[in-house]
Short mmCIF file of all heavy atoms in Angstrom, two decimals:
data_model
loop_
_atom_site.label_atom_id
_atom_site.label_comp_id
_atom_site.label_asym_id
_atom_site.label_seq_id
_atom_site.Cartn_x
_atom_site.Cartn_y
_atom_site.Cartn_z
N ALA A 17 104.82 91.98 91.79
CA ALA A 17 105.74 91.07 91.14
C ALA A 17 107.20 91.83 91.20
O ALA A 17 108.16 91.09 91.49
CB ALA A 17 105.36 90.91 89.53
N LEU A 18 107.24 93.17 91.16
CA LEU A 18 108.57 93.71 91.17
C LEU A 18 109.16 93.71 92.68
O LEU A 18 110.29 93.56 92.87
CB LEU A 18 108.51 95.22 90.63
CG LEU A 18 108.36 95.30 89.24
CD1 LEU A 18 108.10 96.74 88.82
CD2 LEU A 18 109.56 94.89 88.44
N ARG A 19 108.20 93.92 93.64
CA ARG A 19 108.59 93.76 95.13
C ARG A 19 109.06 92.36 95.39
O ARG A 19 110.00 92.21 96.01
CB ARG A 19 107.40 94.12 95.94
CG ARG A 19 107.04 95.48 95.98
CD ARG A 19 107.68 96.29 97.05
NE ARG A 19 107.47 97.73 96.88
CZ ARG A 19 108.34 98.61 96.84
NH1 ARG A 19 109.57 98.32 97.12
NH2 ARG A 19 108.03 99.88 96.84
N SER A 20 108.47 91.45 94.85
CA SER A 20 108.92 89.95 94.93
C SER A 20 110.21 89.79 94.39
O SER A 20 111.09 89.11 94.97
CB SER A 20 107.80 89.04 94.31
OG SER A 20 108.30 87.79 94.39
N GLU A 21 110.48 90.32 93.21
CA GLU A 21 111.69 90.18 92.48
C GLU A 21 112.88 90.90 93.29
O GLU A 21 114.03 90.41 93.61
CB GLU A 21 111.66 90.83 91.10
CG GLU A 21 113.05 90.73 90.34
CD GLU A 21 113.53 89.29 90.08
OE1 GLU A 21 112.70 88.34 90.27
OE2 GLU A 21 114.69 89.25 89.84
N ARG A 22 112.47 92.15 93.85
CA ARG A 22 113.50 92.80 94.69
C ARG A 22 113.80 92.03 95.95
O ARG A 22 115.01 91.98 96.44
CB ARG A 22 112.96 94.22 95.04
CG ARG A 22 114.09 94.98 95.80
CD ARG A 22 113.86 96.51 95.76
NE ARG A 22 115.10 97.13 96.33
CZ ARG A 22 114.97 97.93 97.41
NH1 ARG A 22 113.88 98.14 98.12
NH2 ARG A 22 116.10 98.40 98.01
N GLN A 23 112.83 91.36 96.53
CA GLN A 23 113.01 90.63 97.77
C GLN A 23 114.00 89.52 97.44
O GLN A 23 114.80 89.07 98.28
CB GLN A 23 111.64 90.10 98.28
CG GLN A 23 111.57 89.76 99.64
CD GLN A 23 111.55 91.01 100.61
OE1 GLN A 23 111.78 92.15 100.12
NE2 GLN A 23 111.46 90.67 101.98
N ARG A 24 113.81 88.82 96.32
CA ARG A 24 114.70 87.74 95.79
C ARG A 24 116.10 88.26 95.75
O ARG A 24 117.02 87.56 96.19
CB ARG A 24 114.19 87.22 94.56
CG ARG A 24 114.89 85.89 94.16
CD ARG A 24 114.60 85.41 92.77
NE ARG A 24 115.03 86.44 91.73
CZ ARG A 24 116.26 86.60 91.32
NH1 ARG A 24 117.25 85.89 91.79
NH2 ARG A 24 116.60 87.57 90.39
N LEU A 25 116.31 89.49 95.16
CA LEU A 25 117.58 89.91 95.04
C LEU A 25 118.30 90.31 96.44
O LEU A 25 119.46 89.99 96.58
CB LEU A 25 117.64 91.28 94.21
CG LEU A 25 117.41 91.20 92.78
CD1 LEU A 25 117.18 92.54 92.10
CD2 LEU A 25 118.60 90.43 92.11
N LEU A 26 117.57 90.92 97.29
CA LEU A 26 117.99 91.11 98.57
C LEU A 26 118.39 89.88 99.37
O LEU A 26 119.27 89.79 100.05
CB LEU A 26 117.06 92.06 99.40
CG LEU A 26 116.81 93.50 98.74
CD1 LEU A 26 115.67 94.06 99.48
CD2 LEU A 26 118.10 94.36 98.83
N ALA A 27 117.52 88.84 99.26
CA ALA A 27 117.69 87.63 99.96
C ALA A 27 119.06 86.96 99.45
O ALA A 27 119.79 86.36 100.12
CB ALA A 27 116.57 86.63 99.82
N SER A 28 119.19 87.11 98.00
CA SER A 28 120.46 86.53 97.45
C SER A 28 121.69 87.20 97.99
O SER A 28 122.67 86.64 98.28
CB SER A 28 120.34 86.63 95.91
OG SER A 28 121.54 86.19 95.41
N ASN A 29 121.47 88.60 98.13
CA ASN A 29 122.68 89.30 98.73
C ASN A 29 123.02 88.89 100.08
O ASN A 29 124.13 88.72 100.47
CB ASN A 29 122.36 90.71 98.82
CG ASN A 29 122.30 91.36 97.30
OD1 ASN A 29 122.80 90.80 96.28
ND2 ASN A 29 121.76 92.53 97.17
N ILE A 30 121.93 88.79 101.01
CA ILE A 30 122.08 88.29 102.38
C ILE A 30 122.75 86.92 102.35
O ILE A 30 123.73 86.59 103.08
CB ILE A 30 120.96 88.30 103.05
CG1 ILE A 30 120.48 89.86 103.23
CG2 ILE A 30 121.04 87.72 104.54
CD1 ILE A 30 119.01 90.13 103.77
N ALA A 31 122.32 85.99 101.49
CA ALA A 31 122.76 84.63 101.50
C ALA A 31 124.22 84.49 101.14
O ALA A 31 124.91 83.69 101.38
CB ALA A 31 122.05 83.79 100.53
N ASN A 32 124.59 85.57 100.27
CA ASN A 32 126.01 85.52 99.83
C ASN A 32 126.93 86.49 100.54
O ASN A 32 127.96 86.95 99.99
CB ASN A 32 126.06 85.77 98.31
CG ASN A 32 125.50 84.70 97.47
OD1 ASN A 32 126.25 83.69 97.43
ND2 ASN A 32 124.49 84.86 96.77
N ALA A 33 126.54 86.74 101.76
CA ALA A 33 127.37 87.73 102.60
C ALA A 33 128.79 87.46 102.84
O ALA A 33 129.75 88.19 102.89
CB ALA A 33 126.63 88.01 103.91
N ASP A 34 128.98 86.02 102.77
CA ASP A 34 130.40 85.56 103.10
C ASP A 34 131.06 84.97 101.85
O ASP A 34 132.16 84.35 101.97
CB ASP A 34 130.28 84.38 104.19
CG ASP A 34 130.00 84.98 105.51
OD1 ASP A 34 130.17 86.14 105.64
OD2 ASP A 34 129.28 84.21 106.20
N THR A 35 130.53 85.17 100.75
CA THR A 35 131.05 84.53 99.51
C THR A 35 132.13 85.58 98.97
O THR A 35 131.80 86.78 98.66
CB THR A 35 129.98 84.47 98.35
OG1 THR A 35 128.95 83.56 98.98
CG2 THR A 35 130.59 83.87 97.12
N PRO A 36 133.39 85.17 98.91
CA PRO A 36 134.38 85.98 98.37
C PRO A 36 134.16 86.51 96.92
O PRO A 36 133.74 85.74 96.11
CB PRO A 36 135.61 85.25 98.42
CG PRO A 36 135.42 84.11 99.29
CD PRO A 36 133.81 83.80 99.25
N GLY A 37 134.33 87.78 96.78
CA GLY A 37 134.10 88.41 95.38
C GLY A 37 132.68 88.60 94.91
O GLY A 37 132.40 89.03 93.86
N TYR A 38 131.72 88.36 95.75
CA TYR A 38 130.36 88.46 95.46
C TYR A 38 129.95 90.06 95.42
O TYR A 38 130.36 90.80 96.40
CB TYR A 38 129.47 87.80 96.46
CG TYR A 38 128.00 87.94 96.10
CD1 TYR A 38 127.36 87.10 95.08
CD2 TYR A 38 127.10 88.94 96.71
CE1 TYR A 38 126.06 87.15 94.81
CE2 TYR A 38 125.78 89.05 96.30
CZ TYR A 38 125.17 88.09 95.48
OH TYR A 38 123.91 88.29 94.98
N VAL A 39 129.28 90.41 94.38
CA VAL A 39 128.93 91.86 94.25
C VAL A 39 127.41 91.89 94.51
O VAL A 39 126.71 91.34 93.78
CB VAL A 39 129.30 92.37 92.90
CG1 VAL A 39 128.83 93.89 92.74
CG2 VAL A 39 130.75 92.22 92.64
N ALA A 40 126.92 92.72 95.42
CA ALA A 40 125.57 92.84 95.76
C ALA A 40 124.79 93.58 94.61
O ALA A 40 125.35 94.37 93.99
CB ALA A 40 125.43 93.61 97.10
N ARG A 41 123.67 93.03 94.37
CA ARG A 41 122.83 93.63 93.27
C ARG A 41 121.49 94.14 93.93
O ARG A 41 121.06 93.63 94.86
CB ARG A 41 122.30 92.54 92.26
CG ARG A 41 123.52 91.71 91.61
CD ARG A 41 124.39 92.39 90.63
NE ARG A 41 123.68 93.06 89.51
CZ ARG A 41 123.54 92.60 88.34
NH1 ARG A 41 124.06 91.44 88.05
NH2 ARG A 41 122.95 93.23 87.39
N ASP A 42 120.91 95.23 93.19
CA ASP A 42 119.65 95.71 93.63
C ASP A 42 118.98 96.38 92.29
O ASP A 42 119.64 96.43 91.42
CB ASP A 42 119.79 96.84 94.78
CG ASP A 42 118.59 97.00 95.39
OD1 ASP A 42 117.48 96.45 95.04
OD2 ASP A 42 118.62 97.72 96.52
N MET A 43 117.73 96.79 92.45
CA MET A 43 116.93 97.43 91.36
C MET A 43 116.44 98.82 91.84
O MET A 43 116.21 99.04 92.84
CB MET A 43 115.95 96.46 90.90
CG MET A 43 114.67 96.38 91.88
SD MET A 43 113.27 95.76 91.23
CE MET A 43 113.72 94.24 90.72
N ASP A 44 116.24 99.60 90.69
CA ASP A 44 115.69 100.91 90.93
C ASP A 44 114.26 100.60 90.72
O ASP A 44 113.68 100.60 89.69
CB ASP A 44 116.29 101.88 89.92
CG ASP A 44 115.58 103.29 90.18
OD1 ASP A 44 114.83 103.50 91.16
OD2 ASP A 44 115.87 104.16 89.32
N PHE A 45 113.54 100.50 91.92
CA PHE A 45 112.17 100.10 91.89
C PHE A 45 111.28 100.97 91.23
O PHE A 45 110.42 100.58 90.29
CB PHE A 45 111.55 99.95 93.33
CG PHE A 45 110.25 99.34 93.34
CD1 PHE A 45 109.97 97.95 93.21
CD2 PHE A 45 109.22 100.24 93.58
CE1 PHE A 45 108.57 97.60 93.20
CE2 PHE A 45 107.90 99.79 93.52
CZ PHE A 45 107.57 98.44 93.41
N ALA A 46 111.45 102.30 91.28
CA ALA A 46 110.53 103.37 90.56
C ALA A 46 110.71 103.19 89.21
O ALA A 46 109.54 103.24 88.46
CB ALA A 46 110.92 104.71 91.15
N SER A 47 111.94 103.15 88.61
CA SER A 47 112.06 103.08 87.14
C SER A 47 111.58 101.76 86.64
O SER A 47 111.04 101.64 85.61
CB SER A 47 113.54 103.39 86.73
OG SER A 47 114.37 102.34 87.14
N ALA A 48 111.86 100.53 87.51
CA ALA A 48 111.25 99.34 87.03
C ALA A 48 109.89 99.31 87.06
O ALA A 48 109.20 98.71 86.01
CB ALA A 48 111.85 98.31 87.90
N LEU A 49 109.12 100.07 87.92
CA LEU A 49 107.77 100.01 87.89
C LEU A 49 107.20 100.89 86.71
O LEU A 49 106.21 100.51 86.13
CB LEU A 49 107.08 100.55 89.27
CG LEU A 49 105.66 100.56 89.33
CD1 LEU A 49 105.09 99.17 89.36
CD2 LEU A 49 105.24 101.26 90.71
N ARG A 50 107.85 101.88 86.32
CA ARG A 50 107.58 102.71 85.22
C ARG A 50 107.62 101.91 83.99
O ARG A 50 106.77 101.98 83.11
CB ARG A 50 108.33 104.02 85.09
CG ARG A 50 107.93 105.16 85.98
CD ARG A 50 108.57 106.37 85.66
NE ARG A 50 110.09 106.40 85.76
CZ ARG A 50 110.71 106.63 86.91
NH1 ARG A 50 110.00 107.07 87.97
NH2 ARG A 50 112.00 106.55 86.97
N GLN A 51 108.66 101.09 83.89
CA GLN A 51 108.83 100.30 82.64
C GLN A 51 107.84 99.31 82.58
O GLN A 51 107.19 98.94 81.47
CB GLN A 51 110.19 99.65 82.73
CG GLN A 51 111.34 100.49 82.21
CD GLN A 51 112.68 99.59 82.15
OE1 GLN A 51 112.83 98.79 82.94
NE2 GLN A 51 113.50 99.91 81.12
N ALA A 52 107.43 98.73 83.83
CA ALA A 52 106.49 97.43 83.73
C ALA A 52 105.06 97.98 83.49
O ALA A 52 104.20 97.30 82.89
CB ALA A 52 106.49 96.75 85.10
N THR A 53 104.82 99.17 83.86
CA THR A 53 103.48 99.82 83.63
C THR A 53 103.22 100.55 82.27
O THR A 53 102.16 101.04 82.01
CB THR A 53 103.02 100.74 84.74
OG1 THR A 53 103.93 101.80 85.04
CG2 THR A 53 102.81 99.89 86.14
N GLY A 54 104.39 100.59 81.61
CA GLY A 54 104.34 101.35 80.28
C GLY A 54 104.57 102.81 80.31
O GLY A 54 104.32 103.46 79.41
N ASN A 55 104.86 103.34 81.58
CA ASN A 55 105.18 104.77 81.64
C ASN A 55 106.66 105.07 81.63
O ASN A 55 107.08 106.10 82.20
CB ASN A 55 104.54 105.27 82.97
CG ASN A 55 102.97 105.11 83.04
OD1 ASN A 55 102.45 105.23 81.90
ND2 ASN A 55 102.47 105.05 84.16
N ALA A 56 107.33 104.33 80.77
CA ALA A 56 108.88 104.45 80.88
C ALA A 56 109.19 105.79 80.05
O ALA A 56 108.63 106.05 78.95
CB ALA A 56 109.39 103.32 80.21
N SER A 57 110.14 106.50 80.65
CA SER A 57 110.66 107.70 79.90
C SER A 57 111.89 107.21 79.14
O SER A 57 112.52 106.32 79.48
CB SER A 57 110.78 108.71 80.78
OG SER A 57 111.86 108.43 81.82
N GLY A 58 112.24 108.12 78.23
CA GLY A 58 113.58 107.94 77.52
C GLY A 58 113.38 107.03 76.40
O GLY A 58 114.42 106.60 75.75
N GLY A 59 112.17 106.68 76.04
CA GLY A 59 111.91 105.87 74.89
C GLY A 59 112.31 104.32 74.97
O GLY A 59 112.45 103.65 74.01
N LEU A 60 112.47 103.93 76.30
CA LEU A 60 112.91 102.51 76.48
C LEU A 60 111.67 101.62 76.27
O LEU A 60 110.59 102.11 76.72
CB LEU A 60 113.39 102.37 77.76
CG LEU A 60 114.74 102.92 78.16
CD1 LEU A 60 115.08 102.78 79.65
CD2 LEU A 60 115.86 102.36 77.26
N PRO A 61 111.75 100.55 75.66
CA PRO A 61 110.50 99.75 75.30
C PRO A 61 110.13 99.16 76.67
O PRO A 61 110.93 98.68 77.49
CB PRO A 61 111.01 98.68 74.44
CG PRO A 61 112.30 98.65 74.52
CD PRO A 61 112.83 99.99 74.94
N SER A 62 108.83 98.98 76.98
CA SER A 62 108.31 98.32 78.14
C SER A 62 108.16 96.86 78.08
O SER A 62 108.10 96.18 79.13
CB SER A 62 107.14 99.01 78.82
OG SER A 62 106.08 98.85 77.78
N THR A 63 108.17 96.40 76.85
CA THR A 63 108.09 94.94 76.59
C THR A 63 108.98 94.49 75.55
O THR A 63 109.56 95.35 74.69
CB THR A 63 106.54 94.62 76.06
OG1 THR A 63 106.38 95.33 74.82
CG2 THR A 63 105.56 95.10 77.13
N LEU A 64 109.33 93.26 75.39
CA LEU A 64 110.18 92.66 74.49
C LEU A 64 109.41 92.55 73.23
O LEU A 64 108.28 92.21 73.13
CB LEU A 64 110.72 91.38 74.97
CG LEU A 64 111.54 91.49 76.18
CD1 LEU A 64 111.85 89.91 76.55
CD2 LEU A 64 112.87 92.17 75.84
N ASN A 65 110.12 92.81 72.15
CA ASN A 65 109.46 92.61 70.72
C ASN A 65 109.64 91.19 70.28
O ASN A 65 110.70 90.46 70.44
CB ASN A 65 110.28 93.42 69.79
CG ASN A 65 109.95 94.95 69.97
OD1 ASN A 65 108.91 95.30 70.45
ND2 ASN A 65 110.92 95.70 69.51
N THR A 66 108.61 90.62 69.88
CA THR A 66 108.54 89.19 69.33
C THR A 66 108.22 89.30 67.84
O THR A 66 107.13 89.54 67.43
CB THR A 66 107.46 88.42 70.09
OG1 THR A 66 106.27 89.04 69.88
CG2 THR A 66 107.83 88.17 71.55
N SER A 67 109.24 89.14 66.98
CA SER A 67 109.12 89.37 65.63
C SER A 67 109.02 88.11 64.87
O SER A 67 108.58 88.00 63.81
CB SER A 67 110.32 90.09 64.99
OG SER A 67 111.58 89.48 65.32
N THR A 68 109.36 87.02 65.48
CA THR A 68 109.23 85.66 64.89
C THR A 68 108.37 84.73 65.75
O THR A 68 108.23 84.92 66.84
CB THR A 68 110.63 85.01 64.82
OG1 THR A 68 111.55 85.94 64.08
CG2 THR A 68 110.63 83.73 63.95
N ALA A 69 107.70 83.76 65.06
CA ALA A 69 106.88 82.82 65.84
C ALA A 69 107.55 82.10 66.97
O ALA A 69 106.89 81.74 67.96
CB ALA A 69 106.19 81.89 64.90
N GLY A 70 108.88 81.79 66.73
CA GLY A 70 109.61 81.14 67.87
C GLY A 70 109.95 81.88 68.95
O GLY A 70 110.48 81.42 70.00
N HIS A 71 109.83 83.24 68.91
CA HIS A 71 110.17 84.10 70.11
C HIS A 71 109.13 83.94 71.25
O HIS A 71 107.98 83.64 70.98
CB HIS A 71 110.25 85.57 69.74
CG HIS A 71 111.38 85.85 68.86
ND1 HIS A 71 111.46 87.13 68.24
CD2 HIS A 71 112.38 85.22 68.45
CE1 HIS A 71 112.60 87.12 67.43
NE2 HIS A 71 113.12 86.02 67.58
N ILE A 72 109.67 83.92 72.41
CA ILE A 72 108.79 83.77 73.61
C ILE A 72 108.67 85.13 74.22
O ILE A 72 109.60 85.92 74.48
CB ILE A 72 109.53 82.90 74.65
CG1 ILE A 72 109.67 81.48 74.07
CG2 ILE A 72 108.71 82.84 75.85
CD1 ILE A 72 110.48 80.58 74.80
N ALA A 73 107.42 85.61 74.38
CA ALA A 73 107.10 86.76 75.09
C ALA A 73 107.44 86.86 76.46
O ALA A 73 107.38 85.70 77.13
CB ALA A 73 105.65 87.14 74.79
N ALA A 74 107.78 88.07 77.08
CA ALA A 74 108.24 88.19 78.44
C ALA A 74 106.98 88.03 79.25
O ALA A 74 105.96 88.51 78.87
CB ALA A 74 108.91 89.37 78.54
N ALA A 75 107.15 87.48 80.39
CA ALA A 75 105.95 87.40 81.22
C ALA A 75 105.67 88.88 81.84
O ALA A 75 106.48 89.70 81.85
CB ALA A 75 106.29 86.44 82.46
#
Side-chain angles (χ1 to χ4, degrees):
L18 289 170
R19 289 269 172 227
S20 174
E21 178 64 18
R22 184 163 188 240
Q23 201 75 355
R24 186 191 65 78
L25 285 171
L26 294 171
S28 176
N29 290 343
I30 291 171
N32 288 296
D34 294 329
T35 304
Y38 182 81
V39 179
R41 308 285 307 260
D42 201 354
M43 70 167 57
D44 181 4
F45 182 80
S47 68
L49 185 60
R50 276 192 301 272
Q51 278 185 327
T53 58
N55 295 330
S57 62
L60 295 174
S62 60
T63 59
L64 296 176
N65 291 332
T66 55
S67 58
T68 308
H71 290 171
I72 299 172

